[in-house]
Amino acid sequence: MLDYAALAALSEIVRRGSFEAAAAALGVTPSAISQRIKGLEERLGQVLIHRGPPATGTGTGLRLVQHLDQVRLLEQSLGSGLNPETGPASLRLAVNADSLATWFPPVMTALPVHFDLVIDDQDHARDWLRQGQVSAAISSDADPVPGCDATPLGAMRYQALATPEFIARHFTHGVTETALKAAPAITFNVRDALQSRWAQQVTGRRLHLTGHMVPASEPFARAVELGLGWGMVPDSMSQRARDAGRLRPLIADRALDVPLYWHVQRAMAPALAPLTAAIRKRAAAELRP
Amino acid sequence: MLDYAALAALSEIVRRGSFEAAAAALGVTPSAISQRIKGLEERLGQVLIHRGPPATGTGTGLRLVQHLDQVRLLEQSLGSGLNPETGPASLRLAVNADSLATWFPPVMTALPVHFDLVIDDQDHARDWLRQGQVSAAISSDADPVPGCDATPLGAMRYQALATPEFIARHFTHGVTETALKAAPAITFNVRDALQSRWAQQVTGRRLHLTGHMVPASEPFARAVELGLGWGMVPDSMSQRARDAGRLRPLIADRALDVPLYWHVQRAMAPALAPLTAAIRKRAAAELRP
């Protein structure tokens, strides 16, 4: 068996960023923490912590932290007679930014764990799942990673939106290739291809858009409302602005549906069953079938 | 002089993630792009692009992209008689997440550039400024980086908030050390020390909080409203929930003020003057003096 006291030390260091903070959190001395980590590293023949500051986990270190979380979660699901009273387990999940900004938060009440959310804004969810750095993920990737199952959740509907003034200024002669190339688009980050995909569907060509990058969901929508550019905004986030006429679609009835999937490490599926049920229920209500 | 055609190619590759996309955006062949980059790398004796996929800039590569943006911005500020018509320049800025989620977006209308925002959620702004990877930054760091000037903008006021039910359940006997250790806190990420700082001010001791991590501003506030934990929320973001009684301070009149600063690369200050003026004006209205 692994040395779980050492894994607990490793986990606190990675979560708190220093040996000192981990020691204080566990109520032991920093030198006791150092020894546990050193012992674990020698036994495994691998470095587990980049000493920093801040101290961060190596790939193997992060994998072991995740393993500890999973064991704790499995212990917790043994039921109250068997599991030691150590407080809620941690659960590390990758969630895409727009889900986190819209339908996801309420499902966090379905499982008594401490959620450690990471935003998958660069298609890293696959790697994280494969390397075991997250227990589950919500992503637009349909293919399950080996060792994981993927459940379809439905689709988020996006529309290409802008203010009426922006549309009047940039798209007087319709949403043409020339107009799309000249009008500033708002993108989330360098990996966000939604705007280009929509432009390609409309014009039949891959266009090279220019504009602003705003890497947060609500500020992205606000930048569109401020008339800084056009952008793909989820319907659930733009409802009020559309109803009030502050935002309009560049083209009516040209939505883009992005299907989402719930990926779960197979070994974790039983412990996560209540969360999976809550996610499916909420997705059925909030996403398009 | 540097080869600016090669820098333009470098910039498009970094912003678009591939040689092919950069070639298409510039209307040249991928092999022309490759040659420009190779030539530049040979002349400088340094690798500028990690080939990927996706292609990403090395430290020096990113520094050069930033340099190109700055030259373009300076050209743009020469005025309409002198600057070549190449469309808006790009401006890379680091902004802390809570500013981006609250008062910052409207200032983006003050300067006709394409904003390329990066979120400083891990105190990276100093390094980015020092390495010249951003032209300016909004951060809570008071010390100017060499070559930059820092202007105080005022403070964001945070309160430790939770739902009335959460407070009744976890803080029946007041906000004691024991209660704070047991009640789940919500933190933004491993670097977010606001909750611990507030707990330390209240109890006089460094406590080791546990709870959830929600690395996005609006979802953070929503997690607090869902009763998942207590957390430090900016007053400007919690106004409505406080007025409606959905959120309450754990302790009345125990706010935490976080001063913010506008850091600008000195060479860029003239070109950024209209943005600086807009930021100062909006900060004067939205932040505390």
Side-chain angles (χ1 to χ4, degrees), chain A residues 156-179:
Chain A
M156 271 187 102
R157 171 153 287 191
Y158 289 79
Q159 290 192 72
L161 301 180
T163 61
E165 299 72 34
F166 187 92
I167 294 174
R169 184 167 162 208
H170 293 278
F171 297 108
T172 348
H173 306 295
V175 184
T176 62
E177 199 178 312
T178 318

Side-chain angles (χ1 to χ4, degrees), chain B residues 109-222:
Chain B
T109 58
L111 199 67
V113 298
H114 285 162
F115 285 91
D116 177 358
L117 300 184
V118 286
I119 293 184
D120 175 36
D121 59 2
Q122 307 207 321
D123 288 323
H124 282 147
R126 285 193 78 75
D127 294 335
W128 290 333
L129 280 166
R130 193 180 303 113
Q131 295 159 11
Q133 291 183 14
V134 298
S135 294
I138 289 165
S139 104
S140 58
D141 195 334
D143 295 332
V145 172
C148 295
D149 291 313
T151 314
L153 293 175
M156 270 187 102
R157 172 153 286 191
Y158 288 80
Q159 290 192 72
L161 300 180
T163 61
E165 299 72 34
F166 186 91
I167 294 174
R169 185 168 161 207
H170 292 278
F171 297 108
T172 349
H173 306 296
V175 183
T176 62
E177 198 179 314
T178 319
L180 281 169
K181 275 179 169 169
I186 306 193
T187 52
F188 192 86
N189 61 25
V190 70
R191 294 298 203 87
D192 170 18
L194 274 192
Q195 285 66 223
S196 316
R197 268 175 61 194
W198 185 84
Q200 182 163 14
Q201 287 192 1
V202 167
T203 64
R205 296 194 48 181
R206 280 197 65 190
L207 301 185
H208 300 283
L209 308 170
T210 55
H212 308 281
M213 286 202 207
V214 182
S217 295
E218 294 273 354
F220 181 107
R222 253 178 104 193

Side-chain angles (χ1 to χ4, degrees), chain A residues 270-282:
Chain A
L272 297 187
L275 182 64
T276 299
I279 284 177
R280 292 179 73 134
K281 194 174 159 199
R282 187 149 171 91

Side-chain angles (χ1 to χ4, degrees), chain A residues 10-279:
Chain A
L10 180 70
S11 165
E12 291 293 339
I13 295 166
V14 168
R15 293 234 155 84
R16 297 179 185 277
S18 79
F19 280 65
E20 291 68 30
L26 291 169
V28 299
T29 64
S31 91
I33 293 279
S34 282
Q35 277 170 19
R36 286 189 200 170
I37 297 300
K38 222 174 128 191
L40 194 60
E41 288 183 328
E42 280 170 5
R43 229 161 309 138
L44 299 173
Q46 293 197 51
V47 178
L48 302 175
I49 299 272
H50 299 299
R51 261 61 180 179
T56 54
T58 62
T60 310
L62 293 174
R63 177 71 191 84
L64 287 172
V65 168
Q66 184 56 19
H67 169 75
L68 177 68
D69 286 349
Q70 294 178 342
V71 170
R72 280 184 174 152
L73 196 61
L74 292 170
E75 280 185 0
Q76 185 170 306
S77 66
L78 285 173
S80 56
L82 291 167
N83 64 329
E85 282 293 331
T86 51
S90 280
L91 178 63
R92 194 157 213 252
L93 294 186
V95 184
N96 66 309
D98 283 342
S99 289
L100 182 57
T102 54
W103 64 274
F104 181 78
V107 305
M108 293 168 72
T109 59
L111 200 66
V113 297
H114 285 163
F115 285 91
D116 178 359
L117 300 185
V118 286
I119 294 185
D120 175 37
D121 57 3
Q122 306 208 323
D123 288 322
H124 283 146
R126 284 193 78 76
D127 293 333
W128 290 334
L129 280 166
R130 193 182 301 114
Q131 295 159 10
Q133 292 182 11
V134 296
S135 293
I138 289 165
S139 104
S140 58
D141 194 335
D143 295 332
V145 172
C148 295
D149 291 313
T151 315
L153 293 175
M156 271 187 102
R157 171 153 287 191
Y158 289 79
Q159 290 192 72
L161 301 180
T163 61
E165 299 72 34
F166 187 92
I167 294 174
R169 184 167 162 208
H170 293 278
F171 297 108
T172 348
H173 306 295
V175 184
T176 62
E177 199 178 312
T178 318
L180 280 170
K181 275 179 169 169
I186 305 194
T187 52
F188 192 87
N189 60 26
V190 68
R191 295 297 205 88
D192 170 17
L194 274 191
Q195 284 68 224
S196 316
R197 269 175 61 195
W198 185 84
Q200 183 162 17
Q201 286 190 4
V202 167
T203 63
R205 297 194 48 181
R206 279 196 63 190
L207 301 185
H208 300 283
L209 307 171
T210 56
H212 308 280
M213 286 204 207
V214 182
S217 296
E218 294 272 355
F220 181 108
R222 255 178 101 193
V224 176
E225 273 199 56
L226 283 161
L228 286 157
W230 69 275
M232 304 299 293
V233 185
D235 270 7
S236 53
M237 202 182 279
S238 63
Q239 182 86 52
R240 208 178 299 170
R242 282 182 290 122
D243 288 350
R246 293 195 305 276
L247 290 180
R248 285 198 199 143
L250 302 194
I251 305 178
D253 303 321
R254 266 288 197 161
L256 189 68
D257 287 342
V258 176
L260 294 173
Y261 300 85
W262 172 233
H263 296 257
V264 182
Q265 300 269 7
R266 218 162 283 145
M268 296 298 289
L272 297 187
L275 182 64
T276 299
I279 284 177

